[in-house]
Amino acid sequence: MKSQDIRSKFLQFFKDKEHSIVPSAPMVLKDDPTLMFVNSGMAPFKEYFLGNAQPKNNRIADSQKCLRVSGKHNDLEEVGYDTYHHTLFEMLGNWSFGDYFKQEAIAWAWELLTEVYGIDKDILYISVFEGDEADNIPMDQEAYDIWKQYVSEDRILMGNKKDNFWEMGDQGPCGPCSEIHVDIRSAEERAMVDGKSLVNMDHPHVVEIWNLVFMQYNRKANGSLIALPNKHIDTGMGFERLCMVLQGVQSNYDTDVFTPIIREIETITDKNYGKNDKVDVAIRVISDHVRAVAFSIADGQLPSNTGAGYVIRRILRRAIRYSFTFLDQKDPFIYRLVDVLCKKMGDAFPELKSQKQLIENVIKEEEASFLRTLDQGLVLLDGIVKNTIGDTVSGEKAFELYDTFGFPIDLTALILSEQGLKLDEQGFKEHLEKQKNRSRAASEMSTEDWTILIEDAEQEFIGYDTLETNVKITRYRKVTSKKDGDMYQLVFNLTPFYAEGGGQVGDKGYLEDVNGDVVYILDTKRENNVVIHFTKNLPDHLNETHKATVDAKQRYRTECNHTATHLLHQALREVLGNHVEQKGSAVHSKYLRFDFSHFSKLSMEELRDVESFVNARIAGKLELKEQRNIPMEKAVEEGAMALFGEKYGDTVRTIRFGQSIELCGGTHVKNTGDIWYFKIVSEGAVAAGIRRIEAITNDALKDYFVDVNRTFNDMKVLLNNNEPVKALQNLQEENSNLKKQVEALLKDKTKNLKGDLKNELTEINGIQFLAKKIDLDAGGIKDLCFELGSQFDNLFLLFGAENDGKALLSCYISKELVSEKGINAGQIVRELGKHIQGGGGGQPFFATAGGKKPEGIEEALKAVEEYLK
Ligand code: SER
């Protein structure tokens, strides 16, 4: 069975059991501070498990892209060394939100595996939670009794909290689980060693394929468990492992999910898979990592230096490092694998296909830059080795290389061992630990449990229509971090406050109680579908009604920028072409930032066209046309474009101004005329193929004009002229004339000097020699050397000069002398550089050294004379 068919059979099976089939959610999470990436099939549904939202159908099934590379579930370092762990994998899952529970979940899993996929019952094992005293939870007898109906009891094993109690993070919904393991060893091996003894023992051929989680608890911040009001089912089956079983192979990498990529790596690198352990690990690492990186970029997450972007960068660098060392690849090539990946998976995941070129460009650029880092690192490591006394390289130096230059520590260790040297690994670890502690302390945050003031309260956002309303506080909690100190998070039954999202910042404002006492709301964010208001203090009368008011001025400025962002998006597609896609946006009250795919710098003319396009629509006073809760298909039909990496519900909101129509949850001006005017203030590159524009509107633009005007007036005063442009042109002209005169004077000076210097030459061992301090700049000295040089074939010159407190040494040697006597100006200046505390180099016949100690020039001049003698 081909992997495509395995995937569709799963979905069809659950569709027949009345599940809605949904597409995979994007992997990068936007409104969940506890999780960076989707790390299991259930993560995108957390809001349903927590009861913050209701699904349309309480039975859902899908194949979800998951990334286990950070936080509680992190498999990164294992990937490549075994045949069944991955960074990115697909998790096939079926869910019940308060609907069916253990009975159906178990029956259907068994039916699908043994009847639809036809897996032999005799190679399957089941595990059931044995209970845990500390948590005060009993053994899962219910699951055990149900399994007994399908499997003989000697195939049911008891499992501990580590394996059989599933928790997504430190807090949140959790519950006991039953794992289904499969034994794919040969019949002889199975006869010799009982498969049961190998379950959960990291055996590559006795592996877990499906986990059925019975969600019935919620883990609170203080570690205690409380029962969830509704019980849920969360199952997750490893798609690649299932393919391994059904395709009768012994490794995930031998399934058709990976083989096309592996064949391509073999072709490009001229290495074979399956012949050498180290090469095999490298090939597995690369074929795994290219998937993780390509899918992340398609979901809008570019490699970067912070947060999720940094995790992606590290994955790609791990792949580059393995290909560099074990496949001898010194040039970018991983980007070339994107093509096969798109062919293989582009149908199931269209985001890959449509963004192929961007993915390739970004990966290629990252590869090139990291390979440069590796090159530099090798040179630096060489220097460290040269300065090492004894046979052990200091951990501190290796840490510096790792920390400042991103040079991988295992590569350092490998290179050292090849040279018969050791690395002080303990020292390295200590430095690493110190640094980790520093950053941990900086980012440490503790979150208390919610204090519930009103049970089961729902929340409604009314901030599209009003900025002020009376609210009840339904719950609150304290959050403490090093950065912000103590803060409170409040939830209301009703809120006019817009929560940060879709690039737009969260609203600020205040809460006022009946006595007129005010608590400021400093920010608003959304977490698992709940709007949370941040305050420094807790209101005194928590149970009373408060008036909540949004800071209207900041909201209005932000709206001007948000609407302008839509017009800018439209303008860019119009002026540059339809390849332009939004890759990120930040809408603040003071400015807007827009990232988009485009392959070259925008010309002045293009920027002007974009600005005029937007300003024409502002001048056109286009009215806002908003539609709420319309079906996604209808919005797309009308011309709205879904963005990659965004999660949309079944119904969406559209925002239209003239011909600009977007899917958007943000807030906007009522009429484009409100924006007043739009101005681009910068344009540049963010990554390969991604440009960034920053722009301002309205009040910020008024301030900008006032500033520009002030500078202009200052200029007029300085130039003492009412026509500053003309005055500047005159100045420039005057300046260039003066420059010419100075140059002519300098030439004369050099000429005179040349005559004088010729008389000062002395002969040492048949060489015409002069070492002297002179008063010329670097260019003048070079000219002088070459002019004098043209008259001799046995000339040796060393000039010292002092400019702006810095020392310069220039050495000239006739080419004939270089070849006859084997002397080299480059080597000589490097040596002499010591006298002036500096260094330099150049060619054998002409080289210079710069340094910070001009007093050393005389010494250098003397030293060279000694040398020649
Ligand atoms: N959440 C469970 C897991 O990730 C099942 O989907 O294993």
Side-chain angles (χ1 to χ4, degrees):
M1 218 186 286
K2 282 213 180 108
S3 55
Q4 281 96 320
D5 301 330
I6 295 173
R7 191 190 291 112
S8 29
K9 272 220 156 80
F10 177 91
L11 298 176
Q12 189 57 47
F13 178 84
F14 283 102
K15 197 171 174 190
D16 295 342
K17 309 253 185 265
E18 285 146 31
H19 288 63
S20 295
I21 308 304
V22 300
S24 173
M27 281 187 305
V28 188
L29 285 162
K30 301 231 161 103
D31 67 348
D32 185 345
T34 65
L35 214 55
M36 205 177 254
F37 299 104
V38 168
N39 63 358
S40 68
M42 60 82 71
F45 303 121
K46 241 173 102 182
E47 60 201 47
Y48 301 147
F49 289 116
L50 291 167
N52 296 338
Q54 287 302 317
K56 231 172 60 186
N57 184 353
N58 49 22
R59 295 181 181 190
I60 288 181
D62 70 1
S63 174
Q64 172 65 44
K65 302 172 275 189
C66 299
L67 208 50
R68 289 202 170 169
V69 288
S70 61
K72 194 175 167 79
H73 299 277
N74 186 349
D75 292 334
L76 182 61
E77 291 308 323
E78 275 156 74
V79 173
Y81 288 92
D82 67 25
T83 51
Y84 56 99
H85 276 100
H86 299 291
T87 52
L88 171 116
F89 61 98
E90 279 180 68
M91 197 180 256
L92 302 170
N94 57 293
W95 283 273
S96 149
F97 304 106
D99 188 30
Y100 62 83
F101 203 46
K102 296 182 191 177
Q103 181 71 50
E104 293 86 343
I106 291 174
W108 291 340
W110 194 252
E111 181 190 337
L112 177 64
L113 290 183
T114 59
E115 288 171 32
V116 178
Y117 289 135
I119 300 177
D120 183 357
K121 290 177 187 156
D122 291 340
I123 62 168
L124 293 174
Y125 292 93
I126 306 301
S127 66
V128 168
F129 182 49
E130 65 185 9
D132 186 78
E133 260 177 44
D135 269 336
N136 195 21
I137 344 174
M139 170 218 166
D140 193 354
Q141 188 66 44
E142 189 187 359
Y144 188 88
D145 291 339
I146 301 170
W147 278 116
K148 254 185 1 194
Q149 301 166 23
Y150 303 97
V151 203
S152 64
E153 281 185 71
D154 65 336
R155 302 197 148 263
I156 307 179
L157 291 93
M158 286 298 137
N160 60 19
K161 191 163 136 187
K162 180 178 145 280
D163 292 321
N164 283 83
F165 194 86
W166 206 83
E167 306 197 46
M168 178 180 47
D170 295 332
Q171 290 175 44
C174 53
C177 57
S178 266
E179 296 175 341
I180 304 174
H181 295 257
V182 58
D183 180 357
I184 53 170
R185 292 171 307 150
S186 67
E188 298 82 61
E189 282 175 296
R190 277 189 279 133
M192 263 174 352
V193 180
D194 186 5
K196 201 167 160 179
S197 67
L198 299 176
V199 167
N200 274 333
M201 300 302 283
D202 287 333
H203 191 289
H205 302 137
V206 184
V207 292
E208 174 198 346
I209 51 167
W210 204 347
N211 189 11
L212 315 183
V213 183
F214 314 123
M215 296 270 187
Q216 50 193 108
Y217 301 105
N218 190 13
R219 172 85 65 192
K220 309 203 39 168
N222 65 9
S224 67
L225 290 174
I226 52 163
L228 277 179
N230 286 315
K231 291 178 184 161
H232 313 291
I233 288 295
D234 152 28
T235 88
M237 174 145 59
F239 172 65
E240 297 76 9
R241 292 185 186 180
L242 178 66
C243 290
M244 163 174 84
V245 176
L246 298 182
Q247 296 181 352
V249 291
Q250 302 271 303
S251 152
N252 288 0
Y253 293 89
D254 292 337
T255 64
D256 68 342
V257 178
F258 286 97
T259 46
I261 305 176
I262 292 180
R263 294 292 90 81
E264 188 70 9
I265 299 176
E266 290 180 321
T267 311
I268 296 174
T269 63
D270 205 17
K271 296 269 190 277
N272 287 318
Y273 185 62
K275 297 256 183 312
N276 168 304
D277 279 351
K278 284 192 171 146
V279 169
D280 288 356
V281 169
I283 291 182
R284 284 195 290 267
V285 164
I286 297 157
S287 62
D288 172 278
H289 291 8
V290 67
R291 290 176 10 115
V293 174
F295 273 97
S296 304
I297 298 172
D299 270 356
Q301 184 57 63
L302 297 175
S304 73
N305 262 343
T306 52
Y310 187 56
V311 176
I312 302 305
R313 176 164 282 169
R314 270 188 27 225
I315 300 174
L316 183 53
R317 287 185 167 185
R318 188 168 183 263
I320 300 168
R321 180 247 170 294
Y322 275 83
S323 63
F324 180 86
T325 312
F326 301 111
L327 305 182
D328 308 318
Q329 295 305 303
K330 310 295 181 223
D331 293 310
F333 85 100
I334 296 173
Y335 75 97
R336 287 166 61 189
L337 305 172
V338 174
D339 192 41
V340 249
L341 181 63
C342 286
K343 285 200 181 105
K344 181 75 211 162
M345 308 201 66
D347 287 336
F349 299 94
E351 64 270 31
L352 274 186
K353 252 195 201 159
S354 60
Q355 300 187 86
K356 182 169 168 249
Q357 201 184 354
L358 174 75
I359 300 170
E360 287 172 338
N361 281 337
V362 172
I363 296 184
K364 187 174 177 191
E365 177 78 25
E366 280 285 312
E367 284 189 84
S369 107
F370 189 54
L371 286 165
R372 277 196 298 273
T373 302
L374 289 181
D375 267 345
Q376 274 168 9
L378 291 175
V379 174
L380 291 171
L381 185 58
D382 225 31
I384 295 175
V385 168
K386 280 202 184 108
N387 286 316
T388 297
I389 303 164
D391 66 349
T392 307
V393 168
S394 102
E396 187 183 354
K397 286 269 176 266
F399 179 76
E400 216 174 273
L401 205 54
Y402 161 85
D403 191 41
T404 325
F405 302 96
F407 197 75
I409 188 63
D410 52 349
L411 190 54
T412 303
L414 183 82
I415 292 168
L416 294 181
S417 77
E418 279 166 6
Q419 302 187 14
L421 293 168
K422 282 191 252 159
L423 169 70
D424 169 17
E425 285 188 26
Q426 194 50 38
F428 174 80
K429 277 191 196 134
E430 278 163 20
H431 277 90
L432 186 66
E433 204 47 42
K434 261 192 231 152
Q435 188 210 38
K436 274 194 185 152
N437 286 340
R438 272 196 303 272
S439 58
R440 202 174 299 138
S443 69
E444 222 153 66
M445 193 170 106
S446 70
T447 310
E448 282 184 359
D449 278 321
W450 290 107
T451 301
I452 309 286
L453 298 175
I454 301 177
E455 287 286 348
D456 295 328
E458 303 221 334
Q459 187 188 49
E460 194 188 343
F461 170 64
I462 53 167
Y464 290 140
D465 305 307
T466 177
L467 297 183
E468 197 183 286
T469 189
N470 284 336
V471 304
K472 283 287 213 185
I473 302 168
T474 59
R475 53 174 142 143
Y476 68 90
R477 69 180 175 190
K478 187 159 105 182
V479 187
T480 309
S481 69
K482 190 134 194 158
K483 189 167 146 260
D484 299 322
D486 285 349
M487 293 280 280
Y488 291 91
Q489 301 183 341
L490 314 181
V491 178
F492 311 149
N493 59 335
L494 204 63
T495 183
F497 282 76
Y498 178 80
E500 177 186 311
Q504 182 176 333
V505 290
D507 278 335
K508 290 183 170 49
Y510 59 92
L511 266 189
E512 191 179 347
D513 69 13
V514 275
N515 306 321
D517 287 337
V518 159
V519 167
Y520 289 98
I521 293 173
L522 306 174
D523 200 359
T524 312
K525 291 190 182 195
R526 183 180 290 273
E527 196 176 308
N528 296 308
N529 208 32
V530 175
V531 177
I532 293 172
H533 309 82
F534 289 71
T535 64
K536 197 72 206 157
N537 303 306
L538 210 53
D540 290 335
H541 308 287
L542 283 162
N543 291 309
E544 284 178 17
T545 300
H546 287 77
K547 194 168 93 187
T549 309
V550 173
D551 176 340
K553 200 157 193 173
Q554 139 146 353
R555 166 72 91 82
Y556 174 67
R557 289 171 173 164
T558 310
E559 289 179 343
C560 288
N561 284 334
H562 203 155
T563 304
T565 303
H566 285 199
L567 299 177
L568 170 62
H569 188 194
Q570 187 197 4
L572 288 168
R573 286 174 69 89
E574 198 66 37
V575 174
L576 304 176
N578 276 339
H579 61 280
V580 168
E581 267 167 19
Q582 174 169 346
K583 286 289 158 211
S585 79
V587 180
H588 292 258
S589 61
K590 295 208 171 87
Y591 71 98
L592 66 96
R593 197 174 71 205
F594 190 74
D595 296 347
F596 56 99
S597 45
H598 181 62
F599 298 105
S600 53
K601 186 165 179 56
L602 273 69
S603 65
M604 286 306 263
E605 203 182 353
E606 284 167 333
L607 287 172
R608 250 198 319 264
D609 286 349
V610 168
E611 249 176 34
S612 320
F613 185 99
V614 174
N615 281 317
R617 268 132 203 95
I618 292 172
K621 297 200 186 325
L622 305 171
E623 229 172 85
L624 162 69
K625 295 218 170 76
E626 180 201 2
Q627 299 185 90
R628 293 183 200 166
N629 292 320
I630 67 161
M632 181 73 173
E633 304 84 68
K634 184 155 182 276
V636 172
E637 228 168 71
E638 288 180 12
M641 207 172 78
L643 300 182
F644 295 109
E646 286 299 328
K647 197 175 150 193
Y648 297 102
D650 302 321
T651 60
V652 289
R653 177 169 174 259
T654 61
I655 294 293
R656 185 195 283 275
F657 289 99
Q659 299 298 310
S660 149
I661 170 161
E662 301 223 6
L663 299 172
C664 181
T667 67
H668 287 270
V669 292
K670 298 275 173 288
N671 187 299
T672 55
D674 296 349
I675 300 171
W676 184 66
Y677 203 70
F678 165 87
K679 172 115 199 64
I680 294 174
V681 288
S682 75
E683 189 273 344
V686 194
I690 310 254
R691 312 289 309 174
R692 168 171 293 174
I693 280 183
E694 289 186 327
I696 50 178
T697 64
N698 205 283
D699 285 349
L701 189 46
K702 288 177 193 158
D703 291 346
Y704 172 86
F705 280 142
V706 169
D707 255 11
V708 169
N709 196 252
R710 187 175 302 131
T711 315
F712 186 69
N713 284 333
D714 287 352
M715 257 166 59
K716 283 205 288 200
V717 172
L718 270 179
L719 293 166
N720 200 10
N721 195 313
N722 267 334
E723 282 185 82
V725 176
K726 201 143 183 245
L728 268 177
Q729 278 167 346
N730 289 344
L731 262 184
Q732 273 178 340
E733 222 166 89
E734 217 174 292
N735 190 25
S736 100
N737 284 339
L738 284 173
K739 252 195 197 142
K740 272 187 207 137
Q741 286 179 28
V742 170
E743 265 165 29
L745 282 172
L746 272 177
K747 265 220 170 89
D748 271 0
K749 188 172 163 194
T750 315
K751 215 161 152 195
N752 292 339
L753 210 56
K754 201 173 75 186
D756 296 346
L757 293 175
K758 229 161 119 183
N759 298 330
E760 291 182 38
L761 290 171
T762 51
E763 201 179 301
I764 303 177
N765 294 330
I767 295 174
Q768 289 294 333
F769 169 74
L770 176 65
K772 191 176 163 66
K773 192 170 169 191
I774 54 173
D775 181 22
L776 274 180
D777 68 357
I781 295 180
K782 190 171 178 187
D783 289 346
L784 181 68
C785 284
F786 282 85
E787 275 182 40
L788 274 172
S790 66
Q791 305 174 23
F792 297 89
D793 57 10
N794 60 343
L795 190 65
F796 186 116
L797 301 172
L798 180 74
F799 289 126
E802 184 180 342
N803 285 310
D804 301 328
K806 294 213 177 82
L808 174 74
L809 293 172
S810 307
C811 179
Y812 176 90
I813 306 175
S814 301
K815 285 202 172 128
E816 292 78 359
L817 280 183
V818 170
S819 48
E820 253 170 52
K821 309 243 172 199
I823 46 179
N824 180 325
Q827 272 168 12
I828 290 172
V829 294
R830 253 195 298 280
E831 192 60 29
L832 294 175
K834 285 184 203 147
H835 298 285
I836 55 167
Q837 275 186 15
Q843 283 152 306
F845 55 91
F846 183 75
T848 57
K852 16 182 209 232
K853 192 181 152 205
E855 311 84 70
I857 292 177
E858 291 300 339
E859 273 172 39
L861 300 177
K862 280 209 192 83
V864 85
E865 187 165 351
E866 288 303 311
Y867 163 75
L868 271 199
K869 278 182 180 158

